[in-house]
Amino acid sequence: MKKQMMTMMAALLIGSAGTASAADYSRYSNDELSRMRGTMQNADAQERASYRTEWCKRIASMNPEERRLQAKKNFRQYNRRGPAAMKDALGLSDAQQNRLQKLRDKQFAAAAKERSKLMSLREEMLNESMKKHPDNRKIDMLTQKIGTTHAGLARMRSGHLQDMASILTTDQMEKMKTFMQNKPGKKHGRMML
C-alpha cells in the first residue's frame, strides 16, 4: 500500500511539473520556438495549444520584415533548399519573384493576425469544454467565431491566389499548383501559402 501510494505521488509530481513547464513558452527565443515547430505531435493538447498561442503572439507582434526573415528561416529549416526553390521550380524572372515576395509578405501579415485570433478562440473553447459544467451557449458562440475566422482565412487565401495569378503565366500557375501540392509538410490536401 505504501509503495503504491509513493508511486502515485511520484507520478503526480512528475505530471504536474511537466504541465507547469509546458504552459510557459514565453521564456523561449523566437529561434528556439521556431525550432520546436513540428516537434509537438506527441505533446498533450494543452501543451500544443500553449505553444501555438505563444508562437502566434510572436508572429503577430513582428513587423513585416521580421516576419519575412522568420518565414525565410522556416522555409530553409523544413525544405533545405532556400528561397530559390520556387524560383527554380516555376522559372520566375527576378521581377516576378520580387512581386510575389511582396504579395507573400502582405498575405503573411494579414493571416498572422487571424491565425493568432483563431488560436485564442480554440484555446478558449478548449478551456470552456473541459470545465466540469461547460457553458454550451458560450461554446456555440466560440465555434461560430472559429468558423467565421476560418472562412476569413479562406477568403484571404483565395484573394492571394488571384493576385498571384495576375503575376504568373498560365504555365507557371500550373507548375505552382503542383509545387504547392507536393511541398513537404502538406497536411490533408491543404495548400499552405
Side-chain angles (χ1 to χ4, degrees), residues 157-174:
R157 258 191 307 279
S158 176
H160 180 63
L161 288 170
Q162 291 171 31
D163 291 343
M164 287 173 58
S166 72
I167 296 171
L168 301 175
T169 66
T170 305
D171 185 49
Q172 287 172 329
M173 199 60 190
E174 288 302 315

Side-chain angles (χ1 to χ4, degrees), residues 11-173:
L12 180 62
L13 286 172
I14 290 169
S16 65
T19 302
S21 66
D24 184 20
Y25 286 97
S26 62
R27 62 189 171 94
Y28 292 97
S29 71
N30 288 346
D31 287 338
E32 289 170 325
L33 281 176
S34 178
R35 284 192 297 272
M36 288 180 193
R37 294 180 73 210
T39 65
M40 302 301 286
Q41 300 93 330
N42 296 325
D44 62 44
Q46 182 76 27
E47 187 171 351
R48 284 192 309 270
S50 180
Y51 170 79
R52 279 191 307 266
T53 300
E54 182 63 29
W55 182 244
C56 287
K57 281 182 200 173
R58 299 285 181 94
I59 295 298
S61 69
M62 291 178 184
N63 66 42
E65 180 62 16
E66 290 170 327
R67 279 192 291 270
R68 189 183 71 72
L69 291 173
Q70 189 63 54
K72 196 181 222 183
K73 284 181 191 176
N74 291 345
F75 186 82
R76 280 193 202 123
Q77 182 179 349
Y78 292 104
N79 296 314
R80 304 283 189 240
R81 285 195 60 205
M86 190 166 37
K87 183 177 182 181
D88 293 344
L90 302 180
L92 298 175
S93 69
D94 289 339
Q96 285 177 308
Q97 185 178 24
N98 290 335
R99 288 177 65 196
L100 287 173
Q101 183 61 52
K102 288 177 184 172
L103 283 178
R104 279 192 297 273
D105 290 345
K106 180 181 165 189
Q107 165 70 7
F108 192 80
K113 290 177 185 174
E114 290 301 305
R115 286 191 184 103
S116 179
K117 178 179 168 184
L118 187 59
M119 291 301 117
S120 296
L121 288 168
R122 285 180 177 162
E123 186 173 352
E124 192 176 345
M125 188 178 74
L126 172 71
N127 291 336
E128 187 63 37
S129 297
M130 300 301 285
K131 288 181 178 176
K132 188 169 185 160
H133 301 289
D135 180 348
N136 287 320
R137 284 185 290 186
K138 184 175 182 179
I139 292 170
D140 288 344
M141 182 262 312
L142 290 168
T143 57
Q144 288 293 323
K145 285 183 177 181
I146 288 169
T148 301
T149 306
H150 271 292
L153 283 166
R155 281 189 300 275
M156 283 180 177
R157 258 191 307 279
S158 176
H160 180 63
L161 288 170
Q162 291 171 31
D163 291 343
M164 287 173 58
S166 72
I167 296 171
L168 301 175
T169 66
T170 305
D171 185 49
Q172 287 172 329
M173 199 60 190

